[in-house]
């Protein structure tokens, strides 16, 4: 059966769109719950005497944590799909199951870390605990739902476009696991900077790295009252979140696009000719190399622009 | 002993050693980098390497479905990881420059080894650099290239020489890869700036340890495949 | 993640609100190893009994992670948990291959052969610990790292093998490949086991961390794992005990999770500095 190329491209573009949304919400969720690297400051704050009302969600880094939620969602969805449930029912139920586990881990992490800081006189504020569980769950639900939709589409893309031969060989839970780790690693690398350097130390001067003497003395008072994560995520949603979403979207776009270009140019589509397999791979590699070199050039441009425009450090 | 068994062990060992070499090349700043106190990407070593390698493994597994050439499949995995690191580090720089207002500079050297630009005048005092300068960027791309190559190499060997099924081969390759990456991360103590960092001189020790561990894992995998009747 | 400096381990001697004093680290390791091995070897056990063995295996792994990470690994606590399960995958794979190899000779007692895989992985873990601690090589200088990494190799492999035998019903290579690995269930086993090993210590990290409280968290996560495995088992309905096996495993997991989660939450709220509904903050100079 020939592949309908237009349908294949359409599904690929849908995956890119879902990837953009997934990573944006992943970063916002990690800001809502203060996970991963900037959380070390929240931990340190209590230890240097800055009692705070932050949610201290210390569930490892974002990569293994997201791997866990997405894999659990993937397994529940997979079990439901194998029993004949419609994907429209199975995928959201899987995402809800992943989020229930997420909330459980958040509760144990916050309570465990706060009770281990007894000597620093950090109390457990119950309204902080209860009030942040729903935002964490909703942001995480969007991210996990998009990821398992991506996994489902990828493991069925051949069937959806005409020929099951193009389906990805990995099983759905494994694909969810892979994308969970990737989305966590990306969100941790790009979005956390906006939270950690900018929002956590909002009352420090803009335009410098945060010195070691500032560490622990995070901004605890907000525009009006005492700051909690809810004040943070609205700020990061205007810059850090969309940037992170753009990262993952671009990665998925480049990955899928170069594979598809390779398949089309070498004649592998629409009949899935086996002889064109090697040429497909070669074209994909060459396109990827070119894109990578453009990225290196882009970085040189940005660094030089910053050096020229910002100039050497002024002040002491 | 059949030569194919030896080839599988060699492939696993090579994959593991490349993984640890890749980890040493990645610019990882850890938790301080998220606060603009250290140079590099603001995440943990193992997680970043695993993220890049998983991206590469995904591409390699889809290419392995229609290509039989080990070099092409491994290079596809390498390019997949290279693109992931490239885009991630570029957008991280965008957030540093426009979101936090810092100039990307390295903290461990006075002059950038590749572009010969001065670093210290642009650095915030009492910080160990911030952002992802050019030398760290290129180092990171090279590290992801090698790591992705190693992971895809192992995957191909397990898939086509040991005849494991695709998901099984992917999981086993990931397990061995992660063990090597973690041992290498212990060697660098969690953070490193790239090949210009003085910590890079500790590379041979990690290579030896990862060689031994990958050898154990390779032999175990070959034993499992033989006893399980796959070869 | 901030890793606090080395803390002198204190064993609390007075029991807290009815929770029994747990055995010390070596005793718990031996008890867990024995229970896990027994529930693994005997063929035809219901999934609930194997689930109890799984809980003990994960407790053993958690203790090992806790003991090793107290001295500061540099990379944070999660990495050593991931390492344990990375070893666990290879060790379990070797174990199931040995079982298939031994089946013609030992018949239904071939499950004993899986221990060979576990022991081999323990040796590999010990070697990696020696290389990591030795000054001429990586030189981490953590006391007991060799023993810790050996225990992680053993506990990881045992946990993975127990989960294979729960979901697939047997330890034969072909059956496990088809029912537990190729359909991707191994991913959830890997992830939740590694979480059960490192999350309790990571979540309770701090100067006032107390071992019994951390152990409650580990049992609670193992309960969640049993619940997920029970759902997968009930859907597949392959075991010799029929669908009742999967359903009973799900209920067992749910009860274990609920009891220990409530215990953990109560204990943390009692032992924190104070638990208030809401309040203002202060700064201590």
């Amino acid at each position: 059966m020939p592949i309908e190329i237009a349908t294949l491209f359409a599904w690929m573009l849908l995956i890119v769109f879902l990837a953009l949304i997934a990573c944006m919400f992943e970063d916002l969720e990690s800001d809502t719950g203060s996970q991963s690297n900037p959380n070390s400051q929240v931990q340190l704050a209590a230890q240097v005497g800055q009692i705070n009302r932050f949610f201290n969600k210390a569930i490892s880094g974002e990569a293994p944590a997201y791997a866990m939620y997405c894999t659990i969602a993937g397994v529940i969805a997979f079990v439901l799909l194998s029993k004949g449930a419609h994907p429209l029912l199975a995928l959201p139920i899987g995402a809800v199951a992943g989020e229930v586990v997420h909330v459980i881990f958040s509760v144990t992490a916050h309570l465990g870390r706060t009770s281990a800081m007894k000597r620093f006189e950090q109390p457990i504020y119950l309204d902080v605990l209860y009030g942040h569980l729903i935002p964490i769950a909703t942001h995480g639900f969007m991210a996990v739902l998009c990821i398992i939709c991506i996994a489902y589409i990828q493991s069925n893309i051949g069937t959806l476009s005409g020929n099951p031969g193009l389906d990805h060989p990995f099983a759905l839970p494994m694909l969810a696991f892979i994308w969970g780790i990737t989305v966590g690693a990306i969100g941790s690398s790009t979005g956390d900077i906006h939270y950690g350097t900018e929002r956590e130390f909002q009352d420090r001067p803009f335009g410098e790295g945060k010195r070691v003497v500032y560490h622990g003395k995070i901004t605890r008072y907000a525009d009006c009252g005492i700051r909690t994560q809810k004040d943070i995520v609205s700020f990061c949603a205007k810059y850090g979140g969309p940037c992170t979403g753009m990262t993952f979207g671009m990665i998925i776009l480049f990955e899928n696009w170069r594979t598809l270009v390779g398949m089309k140019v070498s004649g592998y589509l629409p009949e899935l000719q086996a002889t064109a397999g090697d040429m497909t791979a070669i074209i994909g590699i060459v396109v990827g190399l070119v894109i990578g070199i453009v990225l290196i050039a882009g970085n040189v441009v940005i660094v030089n622009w910053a050096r020229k425009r910002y100039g050497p450090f002024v002040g002491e | 002993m059949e030569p194919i068994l030896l080839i599988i062990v060699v492939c696993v060992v090579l994959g593991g050693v490349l993984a640890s070499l890749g980890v040493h090349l990645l610019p990882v700043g850890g938790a301080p980098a998220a606060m603009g106190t250290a140079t590099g990407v603001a995440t943990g070593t193992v997680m970043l390497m695993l993220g890049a390698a998983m991206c590469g493994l995904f591409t390699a597994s889809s290419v392995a479905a229609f290509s039989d050439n080990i070099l092409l499949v491994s290079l596809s995995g390498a390019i997949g990881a290279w693109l992931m690191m490239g885009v991630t580090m570029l957008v991280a720089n965008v957030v540093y420059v426009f979101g936090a207002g810092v100039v990307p500079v390295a903290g461990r050297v006075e002059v950038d080894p590749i572009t010969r630009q001065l670093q210290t005048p642009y650095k915030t005092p009492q910080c160990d650099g911030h952002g992802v300068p050019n030398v760290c960027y290129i180092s990171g791309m090279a590290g992801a290239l090698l790591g992705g190559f190693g992971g895809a190499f192992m995957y191909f060997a397990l898939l086509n020489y040991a005849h494991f099924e695709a998901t099984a081969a992917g999981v086993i390759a990931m397990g061995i890869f992660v063990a090597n990456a973690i041992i290498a991360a212990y060697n660098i103590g969690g953070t490193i700036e790239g090949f210009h960092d003085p910590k890079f001189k500790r590379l041979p020790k990690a290579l030896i340890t990862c060689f031994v561990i990958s050898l154990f894992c390779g032999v175990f995998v070959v034993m499992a495949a033989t006893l399980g009747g796959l070869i | 993640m901030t890793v606090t400096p080395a803390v002198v381990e204190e064993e609390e001697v007075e029991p807290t609100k009815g929770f029994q004093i747990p055995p010390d680290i070596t005793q718990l390791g031996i008890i867990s190893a024995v229970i896990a091995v027994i529930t693994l070897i005997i063929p035809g056990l219901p999934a609930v009994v194997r689930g109890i063995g799984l809980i003990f295996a994960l407790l053993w792994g958690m203790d090992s992670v806790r003991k090793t990470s107290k001295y500061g690994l540099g990379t944070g606590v999660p990495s050593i948990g991931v390492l344990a399960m990375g070893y666990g995958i290879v060790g379990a794979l070797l174990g199931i291959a040995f079982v298939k190899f031994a089946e013609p000779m030992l018949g239904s007692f071939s499950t004993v052969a899986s221990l060979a895989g576990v022991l081999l992985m323990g040796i590999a873990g010990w070697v990696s610990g020696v290389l990591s601690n030795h000054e001429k090589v990586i030189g981490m200088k953590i006391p007991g790292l060799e023993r810790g990494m050996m225990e992680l190799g053993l506990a990881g492999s045992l946990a993975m093998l127990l989960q294979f035998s729960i979901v697939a019903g047997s330890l034969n290579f072909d059956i496990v490949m088809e029912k537990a690995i190729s359909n991707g269930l191994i991913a959830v086993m890997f992830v939740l086991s590694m979480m059960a090993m490192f999350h309790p210590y990571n979540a309770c990290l701090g100067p006032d961390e107390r071992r019994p409280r951390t152990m409650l968290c580990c049992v609670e996560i193992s309960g969640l794992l049993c619940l997920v495995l029970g759902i997968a088992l009930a859907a597949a309905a392959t075991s010799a005990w029929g669908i009742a096996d999967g359903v009973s495993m799900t209920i067992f997991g749910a009860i274990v999770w609920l009891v220990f989660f409530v215990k953990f939450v109560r204990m943390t709220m009692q032992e924190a500095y104070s638990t208030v509904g809401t309040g203002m903050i202060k700064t201590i100079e």
Side-chain angles (χ1 to χ4, degrees):
Chain A
M1 263 190 310
I3 296 261
E4 293 172 27
I5 297 184
T7 323
L8 186 66
F9 270 79
W11 283 113
M12 292 275 192
L13 278 180
L14 183 63
I15 291 179
V16 171
F17 178 67
L18 285 172
L20 199 144
I21 299 194
C23 212
M24 173 166 139
F25 275 98
E26 186 276 335
D27 179 57
L28 291 178
E29 185 275 318
S30 78
D31 296 334
T32 317
S34 182
Q35 195 169 351
S36 168
N37 301 305
N39 194 42
S40 59
Q41 295 302 308
V42 176
Q43 174 85 358
L44 193 57
Q47 291 173 353
V48 297
Q50 315 264 316
I51 307 299
N52 58 67
R53 278 168 56 84
F54 278 57
F55 193 98
N56 190 343
K57 180 168 75 133
I59 313 174
S60 82
E62 291 168 40
Y66 265 86
M68 175 178 70
Y69 322 139
C70 295
T71 314
I72 293 182
V75 160
I76 302 284
F78 177 76
V79 160
L80 287 173
L81 285 170
S82 68
K83 285 290 171 195
H86 195 272
L88 215 53
L89 197 62
L91 298 176
I93 292 181
V96 167
E99 279 314 300
V100 166
V101 172
H102 186 178
V103 164
I104 292 171
F105 272 75
S106 310
V107 168
T108 54
H110 179 68
L111 290 177
R113 284 264 176 143
T114 314
S115 65
M117 293 199 287
K118 177 176 179 171
R119 66 186 63 178
F120 300 116
E121 299 183 25
Q122 166 79 29
I124 296 179
Y125 293 104
L126 284 177
D127 63 334
V128 166
L129 176 66
Y130 297 151
H132 285 97
L133 293 178
I134 299 284
I136 289 175
T138 46
H139 283 92
F141 175 79
M142 284 303 298
V144 170
L145 180 66
C146 291
I147 296 280
I148 49 171
C149 283
I150 292 177
Y152 175 75
I153 295 176
Q154 278 174 343
S155 69
N156 286 319
I157 197 161
T159 328
L160 293 166
S161 329
N163 189 338
L166 206 56
D167 286 346
H168 199 271
F170 282 171
L172 190 132
M174 184 70 189
L175 280 174
F177 177 75
I178 288 179
W179 291 128
I181 289 190
T182 311
V183 103
I186 294 171
S188 182
S189 323
T190 48
D192 279 357
I193 301 164
H194 198 229
Y195 172 34
T197 316
E198 183 55 22
R199 189 63 169 167
E200 249 185 349
F201 295 96
Q202 190 86 84
D203 49 0
R204 304 292 176 184
F206 180 83
E208 54 176 48
K210 300 298 173 272
R211 310 167 193 219
V212 180
V213 292
Y214 297 166
H215 279 193
K217 303 187 171 58
I218 54 181
T219 312
R220 300 169 298 142
Y221 291 95
D223 314 330
C224 170
I226 307 176
R227 180 172 282 181
T228 64
Q229 304 302 125
K230 298 175 197 162
D231 302 301
I232 289 179
V233 74
S234 57
F235 182 85
C236 292
K238 301 297 183 280
Y239 194 77
C243 273
T244 318
M246 186 179 75
T247 314
F248 193 44
M250 278 193 341
I251 291 175
I252 299 284
L253 177 68
F254 291 152
E255 290 294 315
N256 287 339
W257 183 65
R258 66 189 183 92
T259 314
L260 274 183
V261 162
M263 282 185 187
K264 188 82 174 64
V265 169
S266 71
Y268 185 68
L269 298 174
E271 298 286 344
L272 294 182
Q273 278 163 316
T275 49
D278 280 356
M279 198 60 205
T280 314
I282 293 176
I283 295 176
I285 291 171
V286 167
V287 172
L289 272 172
V290 168
I291 297 177
I293 294 176
V294 168
L295 289 172
I296 295 180
N299 190 58
V300 171
V301 163
I302 286 186
V303 171
N304 286 348
W305 185 90
R307 291 171 67 94
K308 200 167 61 142
R309 284 307 192 102
Y310 293 174
F313 190 83
V314 174
E316 81 278 352
Chain B
M1 189 168 63
E2 294 171 30
I4 195 81
L5 301 180
L6 201 57
I7 292 179
I8 299 175
V9 175
V10 165
C11 286
V12 170
V13 169
L14 190 64
V17 167
L18 282 176
S20 80
L21 180 59
V23 163
H24 280 77
L25 285 170
L26 286 181
V28 174
M35 265 67 71
T37 315
T39 317
V41 179
T43 189
T45 320
V46 177
M47 301 314 162
L48 190 63
M49 186 79 248
L50 203 55
M54 288 291 109
C55 224
L57 185 69
F58 171 77
T59 312
S61 56
S62 35
V63 170
F66 50 75
S67 172
D68 274 339
N69 190 327
I70 189 170
L71 207 56
L72 287 180
V73 170
S74 311
L75 276 176
S76 304
I79 299 287
W82 140 299
L83 278 180
M84 184 253 181
M85 275 308 282
V87 178
T88 305
M89 289 194 290
L90 185 69
V91 178
N93 257 349
V94 165
V95 179
Y96 270 117
V97 168
F98 298 108
V102 294
V103 177
V105 286
R108 300 278 162 84
V109 283
E110 303 269 327
V111 171
D112 188 317
I114 296 184
T115 56
R116 300 272 169 243
Q117 288 167 326
L118 283 175
Q119 304 288 299
T120 331
Y122 296 84
K123 192 166 69 93
T124 312
Q126 298 164 37
C127 284
D128 200 11
H130 26 72
V132 184
N134 292 318
V135 59
C136 294
Y137 195 89
I138 294 178
S139 180
M141 299 282 266
L145 195 73
L146 291 171
F149 190 90
F153 204 69
M154 267 200 285
Y155 170 76
F156 188 88
L158 290 171
L159 181 72
N160 283 342
Y161 300 157
H163 305 295
F164 279 107
E165 194 258 343
T167 312
V171 166
I172 300 167
M174 194 249 332
I176 303 178
F177 189 91
V178 91
N180 284 296
I182 290 176
I183 302 278
Y186 286 164
N187 188 34
I188 61 178
T191 67
I192 193 173
E193 269 189 28
F195 61 78
H196 58 281
D197 195 326
K199 279 197 212 172
F200 192 72
K201 297 188 183 57
R202 294 178 54 92
L203 178 69
K205 308 192 174 170
L207 287 181
I208 297 173
T209 316
C210 289
F211 179 83
V212 170
I213 298 204
S214 302
L215 194 63
F216 266 106
C217 290
V219 166
F220 289 166
V221 165
V222 160
M223 276 167 72
T226 325
L227 294 175
L230 289 174
I231 298 185
Chain C
M1 266 147 289
T2 320
V3 179
T4 54
V7 174
V8 173
E9 185 170 332
E10 305 157 22
E11 289 294 329
E12 296 279 327
V13 268
E14 56 296 311
T16 316
K17 297 277 192 272
F19 182 71
Q20 296 299 317
I21 307 166
D24 76 1
I25 293 183
T26 322
Q27 288 172 353
L28 185 65
I30 297 176
I31 297 174
S32 309
V34 165
I35 295 182
V37 163
I38 290 179
T39 48
L40 180 68
I41 294 184
I42 303 178
L45 284 177
V48 176
V49 178
R50 293 221 175 99
I52 297 178
L54 178 65
I55 293 178
F56 275 99
L58 291 172
L59 264 177
W60 187 23
M62 190 279 297
D63 250 344
S64 201
V65 164
R66 181 174 175 271
K67 202 173 44 162
T68 326
S69 326
K70 258 185 176 334
Y71 298 96
L73 287 168
T75 56
V77 179
S79 53
I80 203 166
V82 181
L83 182 68
M85 287 324 289
Y87 286 159
I89 289 182
V90 178
L93 191 76
L94 196 57
I96 55 177
F98 271 123
V99 168
K100 176 170 175 177
F101 176 67
E103 206 152 45
M105 295 183 274
L106 297 175
S108 61
F109 286 103
S110 55
T111 43
V112 180
S114 61
L115 293 180
V118 174
L119 284 168
L120 280 174
M121 208 63 217
I123 295 176
W126 183 78
V127 167
S128 73
V130 164
L131 286 172
S132 300
N133 232 3
H134 194 73
E135 305 99 44
K136 293 267 174 53
V137 196
I138 295 189
M140 292 185 72
K141 299 198 208 16
I142 295 179
L145 185 67
E146 298 90 356
R147 177 181 148 184
M149 284 181 100
M150 177 184 78
E151 286 186 357
L152 284 175
L154 294 172
S157 309
L158 275 173
M160 205 50 127
L161 278 168
L162 275 165
Q163 288 171 80
F164 281 164
S165 77
I166 288 175
V167 172
S170 103
L171 279 176
N172 189 305
F173 188 84
D174 300 311
I175 301 181
V176 171
M177 271 287 171
E178 182 204 328
K179 291 207 159 52
I181 301 186
S182 300
N183 56 8
L185 283 179
I186 190 173
V188 82
M189 295 176 193
F190 173 76
V191 152
L192 268 175
S193 311
M194 92 187 175
M195 279 286 173
M197 285 198 190
F198 76 70
H199 178 74
Y201 187 61
N202 196 32
C204 302
L205 193 67
D208 291 305
E209 183 259 343
R210 222 173 45 98
R211 185 164 166 257
R213 209 165 64 213
T214 315
M215 285 167 67
L216 284 181
C217 189
C218 181
V219 179
E220 173 248 324
I221 300 179
S222 315
L224 262 180
L225 175 58
C226 288
L227 205 153
V228 174
L229 287 178
I231 294 179
L233 184 60
T238 49
S239 86
W241 301 74
I243 200 163
D245 214 8
V247 172
S248 63
M249 183 72 163
T250 314
I251 298 176
F252 169 73
I255 293 178
V256 164
W257 170 77
L258 192 64
V259 165
F260 283 91
F261 183 70
V262 169
K263 265 197 162 75
F264 178 76
V265 167
R266 283 223 175 100
M267 198 185 261
T268 49
M269 286 193 182
Q270 275 156 9
E271 292 179 9
Y273 169 69
S274 73
T275 306
V276 294
T278 187
M280 306 298 275
I281 57 177
K282 62 187 181 201
T283 310
I284 304 170
E285 297 304 328

